[in-house]
PDB file of all heavy atoms in Angstrom:
ATOM      1  N   GLU Z 142     211.821  21.378 -21.786  1.00 86.00           N
ATOM      2  CA  GLU Z 142     213.151  21.935 -21.205  1.00 86.00           C
ATOM      3  C   GLU Z 142     213.386  23.264 -21.954  1.00 86.00           C
ATOM      4  O   GLU Z 142     213.630  23.218 -23.136  1.00 86.00           O
ATOM      5  CB  GLU Z 142     214.274  20.967 -21.320  1.00 86.00           C
ATOM      6  CG  GLU Z 142     214.140  19.806 -20.540  1.00 86.00           C
ATOM      7  CD  GLU Z 142     214.069  20.053 -18.994  1.00 86.00           C
ATOM      8  OE1 GLU Z 142     214.524  21.121 -18.553  1.00 86.00           O
ATOM      9  OE2 GLU Z 142     213.335  19.255 -18.318  1.00 86.00           O
ATOM     10  N   ILE Z 143     213.468  24.341 -21.136  1.00 91.00           N
ATOM     11  CA  ILE Z 143     213.965  25.560 -21.750  1.00 91.00           C
ATOM     12  C   ILE Z 143     215.429  25.618 -21.529  1.00 91.00           C
ATOM     13  O   ILE Z 143     215.939  25.490 -20.414  1.00 91.00           O
ATOM     14  CB  ILE Z 143     213.276  26.707 -21.045  1.00 91.00           C
ATOM     15  CG1 ILE Z 143     211.714  26.541 -21.321  1.00 91.00           C
ATOM     16  CG2 ILE Z 143     213.766  28.040 -21.454  1.00 91.00           C
ATOM     17  CD1 ILE Z 143     210.922  27.639 -20.524  1.00 91.00           C
ATOM     18  N   PHE Z 144     216.054  25.949 -22.604  1.00 93.00           N
ATOM     19  CA  PHE Z 144     217.532  25.840 -22.624  1.00 93.00           C
ATOM     20  C   PHE Z 144     218.158  27.229 -22.726  1.00 93.00           C
ATOM     21  O   PHE Z 144     217.606  28.106 -23.402  1.00 93.00           O
ATOM     22  CB  PHE Z 144     217.991  24.946 -23.777  1.00 93.00           C
ATOM     23  CG  PHE Z 144     219.394  24.537 -23.755  1.00 93.00           C
ATOM     24  CD1 PHE Z 144     219.914  23.574 -22.958  1.00 93.00           C
ATOM     25  CD2 PHE Z 144     220.345  25.295 -24.494  1.00 93.00           C
ATOM     26  CE1 PHE Z 144     221.180  23.131 -22.945  1.00 93.00           C
ATOM     27  CE2 PHE Z 144     221.692  24.986 -24.487  1.00 93.00           C
ATOM     28  CZ  PHE Z 144     222.100  23.891 -23.731  1.00 93.00           C
ATOM     29  N   GLU Z 173     207.905  37.691 -29.253  1.00 94.00           N
ATOM     30  CA  GLU Z 173     207.818  37.507 -30.670  1.00 94.00           C
ATOM     31  C   GLU Z 173     207.653  36.021 -31.112  1.00 94.00           C
ATOM     32  O   GLU Z 173     207.802  35.152 -30.320  1.00 94.00           O
ATOM     33  CB  GLU Z 173     209.150  38.004 -31.309  1.00 94.00           C
ATOM     34  CG  GLU Z 173     209.409  39.499 -31.257  1.00 94.00           C
ATOM     35  CD  GLU Z 173     210.815  39.927 -31.683  1.00 94.00           C
ATOM     36  OE1 GLU Z 173     211.472  39.103 -32.282  1.00 94.00           O
ATOM     37  OE2 GLU Z 173     211.130  41.086 -31.365  1.00 94.00           O
ATOM     38  N   SER Z 174     207.313  35.904 -32.445  1.00 91.00           N
ATOM     39  CA  SER Z 174     207.199  34.516 -32.970  1.00 91.00           C
ATOM     40  C   SER Z 174     208.475  33.763 -32.813  1.00 91.00           C
ATOM     41  O   SER Z 174     209.655  34.207 -33.081  1.00 91.00           O
ATOM     42  CB  SER Z 174     206.922  34.647 -34.399  1.00 91.00           C
ATOM     43  OG  SER Z 174     206.819  33.390 -34.992  1.00 91.00           O
ATOM     44  N   GLY Z 175     208.467  32.519 -32.248  1.00 93.00           N
ATOM     45  CA  GLY Z 175     209.553  31.528 -32.141  1.00 93.00           C
ATOM     46  C   GLY Z 175     210.408  31.850 -30.928  1.00 93.00           C
ATOM     47  O   GLY Z 175     211.464  31.276 -30.878  1.00 93.00           O
ATOM     48  N   THR Z 176     210.041  32.530 -30.034  1.00 97.00           N
ATOM     49  CA  THR Z 176     210.833  32.842 -28.864  1.00 97.00           C
ATOM     50  C   THR Z 176     210.539  31.689 -27.763  1.00 97.00           C
ATOM     51  O   THR Z 176     211.320  31.634 -26.827  1.00 97.00           O
ATOM     52  CB  THR Z 176     210.483  34.109 -28.167  1.00 97.00           C
ATOM     53  OG1 THR Z 176     209.026  34.239 -28.167  1.00 97.00           O
ATOM     54  CG2 THR Z 176     211.058  35.299 -28.887  1.00 97.00           C
ATOM     55  N   GLY Z 177     209.664  30.770 -27.947  1.00 96.00           N
ATOM     56  CA  GLY Z 177     209.520  29.683 -27.059  1.00 96.00           C
ATOM     57  C   GLY Z 177     208.296  29.885 -26.108  1.00 96.00           C
ATOM     58  O   GLY Z 177     208.285  29.322 -25.005  1.00 96.00           O
ATOM     59  N   LYS Z 178     207.276  30.592 -26.540  1.00 96.00           N
ATOM     60  CA  LYS Z 178     206.100  30.756 -25.765  1.00 96.00           C
ATOM     61  C   LYS Z 178     205.388  29.493 -25.446  1.00 96.00           C
ATOM     62  O   LYS Z 178     205.054  29.234 -24.380  1.00 96.00           O
ATOM     63  CB  LYS Z 178     205.031  31.735 -26.357  1.00 96.00           C
ATOM     64  CG  LYS Z 178     205.572  33.089 -26.611  1.00 96.00           C
ATOM     65  CD  LYS Z 178     204.591  34.120 -27.244  1.00 96.00           C
ATOM     66  CE  LYS Z 178     204.262  33.752 -28.649  1.00 96.00           C
ATOM     67  NZ  LYS Z 178     205.271  33.933 -29.641  1.00 96.00           N
ATOM     68  N   GLU Z 179     205.189  28.631 -26.527  1.00 95.00           N
ATOM     69  CA  GLU Z 179     204.604  27.412 -26.225  1.00 95.00           C
ATOM     70  C   GLU Z 179     205.359  26.432 -25.450  1.00 95.00           C
ATOM     71  O   GLU Z 179     204.921  25.640 -24.612  1.00 95.00           O
ATOM     72  CB  GLU Z 179     204.249  26.702 -27.676  1.00 95.00           C
ATOM     73  CG  GLU Z 179     203.454  25.388 -27.406  1.00 95.00           C
ATOM     74  CD  GLU Z 179     202.786  24.959 -28.778  1.00 95.00           C
ATOM     75  OE1 GLU Z 179     202.717  25.784 -29.728  1.00 95.00           O
ATOM     76  OE2 GLU Z 179     202.230  23.857 -28.784  1.00 95.00           O
ATOM     77  N   LEU Z 180     206.706  26.543 -25.560  1.00 95.00           N
ATOM     78  CA  LEU Z 180     207.571  25.807 -24.735  1.00 95.00           C
ATOM     79  C   LEU Z 180     207.429  26.081 -23.291  1.00 95.00           C
ATOM     80  O   LEU Z 180     207.381  25.229 -22.399  1.00 95.00           O
ATOM     81  CB  LEU Z 180     209.084  26.032 -25.155  1.00 95.00           C
ATOM     82  CG  LEU Z 180     210.132  25.179 -24.669  1.00 95.00           C
ATOM     83  CD1 LEU Z 180     209.886  23.690 -24.922  1.00 95.00           C
ATOM     84  CD2 LEU Z 180     211.547  25.660 -25.108  1.00 95.00           C
ATOM     85  N   LEU Z 325     222.506  26.918 -28.034  1.00 96.00           N
ATOM     86  CA  LEU Z 325     221.266  26.451 -28.543  1.00 96.00           C
ATOM     87  C   LEU Z 325     221.537  25.640 -29.867  1.00 96.00           C
ATOM     88  O   LEU Z 325     221.015  24.560 -30.069  1.00 96.00           O
ATOM     89  CB  LEU Z 325     220.248  27.598 -28.810  1.00 96.00           C
ATOM     90  CG  LEU Z 325     219.419  27.863 -27.572  1.00 96.00           C
ATOM     91  CD1 LEU Z 325     218.628  29.240 -28.083  1.00 96.00           C
ATOM     92  CD2 LEU Z 325     218.346  26.837 -27.374  1.00 96.00           C
ATOM     93  N   PHE Z 329     220.657  21.694 -30.756  1.00 94.00           N
ATOM     94  CA  PHE Z 329     219.834  21.245 -31.756  1.00 94.00           C
ATOM     95  C   PHE Z 329     220.625  20.203 -32.649  1.00 94.00           C
ATOM     96  O   PHE Z 329     220.131  19.256 -33.147  1.00 94.00           O
ATOM     97  CB  PHE Z 329     219.350  22.450 -32.625  1.00 94.00           C
ATOM     98  CG  PHE Z 329     218.409  23.298 -31.916  1.00 94.00           C
ATOM     99  CD1 PHE Z 329     218.390  24.716 -32.114  1.00 94.00           C
ATOM    100  CD2 PHE Z 329     217.465  22.789 -30.922  1.00 94.00           C
ATOM    101  CE1 PHE Z 329     217.587  25.561 -31.376  1.00 94.00           C
ATOM    102  CE2 PHE Z 329     216.591  23.645 -30.276  1.00 94.00           C
ATOM    103  CZ  PHE Z 329     216.654  25.056 -30.491  1.00 94.00           C
ATOM    104  N   VAL Z 361     214.273  31.593 -31.925  1.00 96.00           N
ATOM    105  CA  VAL Z 361     214.829  30.196 -31.765  1.00 96.00           C
ATOM    106  C   VAL Z 361     214.311  29.277 -32.710  1.00 96.00           C
ATOM    107  O   VAL Z 361     215.030  28.287 -33.197  1.00 96.00           O
ATOM    108  CB  VAL Z 361     214.421  29.701 -30.326  1.00 96.00           C
ATOM    109  CG1 VAL Z 361     215.200  28.436 -30.054  1.00 96.00           C
ATOM    110  CG2 VAL Z 361     214.904  30.714 -29.285  1.00 96.00           C
ATOM    111  N   ARG Z 362     212.988  29.420 -33.242  1.00 93.00           N
ATOM    112  CA  ARG Z 362     212.461  28.470 -34.173  1.00 93.00           C
ATOM    113  C   ARG Z 362     213.299  28.599 -35.419  1.00 93.00           C
ATOM    114  O   ARG Z 362     213.738  27.623 -36.118  1.00 93.00           O
ATOM    115  CB  ARG Z 362     210.998  28.777 -34.514  1.00 93.00           C
ATOM    116  CG  ARG Z 362     210.572  27.738 -35.610  1.00 93.00           C
ATOM    117  CD  ARG Z 362     209.104  27.930 -36.059  1.00 93.00           C
ATOM    118  NE  ARG Z 362     208.198  27.692 -34.916  1.00 93.00           N
ATOM    119  CZ  ARG Z 362     207.448  28.538 -34.341  1.00 93.00           C
ATOM    120  NH1 ARG Z 362     207.560  29.926 -34.757  1.00 93.00           N
ATOM    121  NH2 ARG Z 362     206.701  28.319 -33.463  1.00 93.00           N
ATOM    122  N   LYS Z 365     216.625  26.858 -35.060  1.00 94.00           N
ATOM    123  CA  LYS Z 365     216.385  25.437 -35.082  1.00 94.00           C
ATOM    124  C   LYS Z 365     216.328  25.018 -36.501  1.00 94.00           C
ATOM    125  O   LYS Z 365     216.883  24.041 -37.002  1.00 94.00           O
ATOM    126  CB  LYS Z 365     215.135  25.142 -34.331  1.00 94.00           C
ATOM    127  CG  LYS Z 365     215.049  23.640 -33.937  1.00 94.00           C
ATOM    128  CD  LYS Z 365     213.927  23.436 -33.064  1.00 94.00           C
ATOM    129  CE  LYS Z 365     213.710  22.055 -32.526  1.00 94.00           C
ATOM    130  NZ  LYS Z 365     212.692  21.839 -31.528  1.00 94.00           N
TER     131      LYS Z 365
HETATM  132  N1  ATP Y   1     214.965  28.155 -24.790  1.00 74.07           N
HETATM  133  C1  ATP Y   1     214.797  27.164 -25.637  1.00 74.07           C
HETATM  134  N2  ATP Y   1     215.443  25.963 -25.518  1.00 74.07           N
HETATM  135  C2  ATP Y   1     215.138  24.953 -26.414  1.00 74.07           C
HETATM  136  N3  ATP Y   1     214.247  25.013 -27.348  1.00 74.07           N
HETATM  137  C3  ATP Y   1     213.618  26.201 -27.601  1.00 74.07           C
HETATM  138  C4  ATP Y   1     213.828  27.240 -26.712  1.00 74.07           C
HETATM  139  N4  ATP Y   1     213.005  28.258 -27.128  1.00 74.07           N
HETATM  140  C5  ATP Y   1     212.431  27.809 -28.154  1.00 74.07           C
HETATM  141  N5  ATP Y   1     212.819  26.560 -28.454  1.00 74.07           N
HETATM  142  C6  ATP Y   1     212.249  25.806 -29.600  1.00 74.07           C
HETATM  143  O1  ATP Y   1     211.904  26.664 -30.667  1.00 74.07           O
HETATM  144  C7  ATP Y   1     210.720  26.246 -31.329  1.00 74.07           C
HETATM  145  C8  ATP Y   1     209.889  27.390 -31.219  1.00 74.07           C
HETATM  146  O2  ATP Y   1     209.328  27.580 -30.013  1.00 74.07           O
HETATM  147  P1  ATP Y   1     207.735  27.784 -29.736  1.00 74.07           P
HETATM  148  O3  ATP Y   1     206.844  27.106 -30.604  1.00 74.07           O
HETATM  149  O4  ATP Y   1     207.561  27.666 -28.201  1.00 74.07           O
HETATM  150  O5  ATP Y   1     207.652  29.388 -29.970  1.00 74.07           O
HETATM  151  P2  ATP Y   1     206.432  30.434 -30.013  1.00 74.07           P
HETATM  152  O6  ATP Y   1     206.843  31.513 -29.231  1.00 74.07           O
HETATM  153  O7  ATP Y   1     205.239  29.690 -29.588  1.00 74.07           O
HETATM  154  O8  ATP Y   1     206.305  30.860 -31.511  1.00 74.07           O
HETATM  155  P3  ATP Y   1     204.970  31.263 -32.403  1.00 74.07           P
HETATM  156  O9  ATP Y   1     204.735  32.722 -31.768  1.00 74.07           O
HETATM  157  O10 ATP Y   1     205.492  31.411 -33.724  1.00 74.07           O
HETATM  158  O11 ATP Y   1     203.947  30.316 -32.072  1.00 74.07           O
HETATM  159  C9  ATP Y   1     210.322  25.012 -30.665  1.00 74.07           C
HETATM  160  O12 ATP Y   1     210.793  23.881 -31.489  1.00 74.07           O
HETATM  161  C10 ATP Y   1     210.939  25.133 -29.323  1.00 74.07           C
HETATM  162  O13 ATP Y   1     211.001  23.833 -28.816  1.00 74.07           O
END
Side-chain angles (χ1 to χ4, degrees):
E142 290 305 329
I143 297 175
F144 191 83
E173 290 175 16
S174 175
T176 45
K178 295 187 292 295
E179 186 164 349
L180 191 60
L325 274 172
F329 296 143
V361 184
R362 178 180 297 110
K365 196 171 182 174

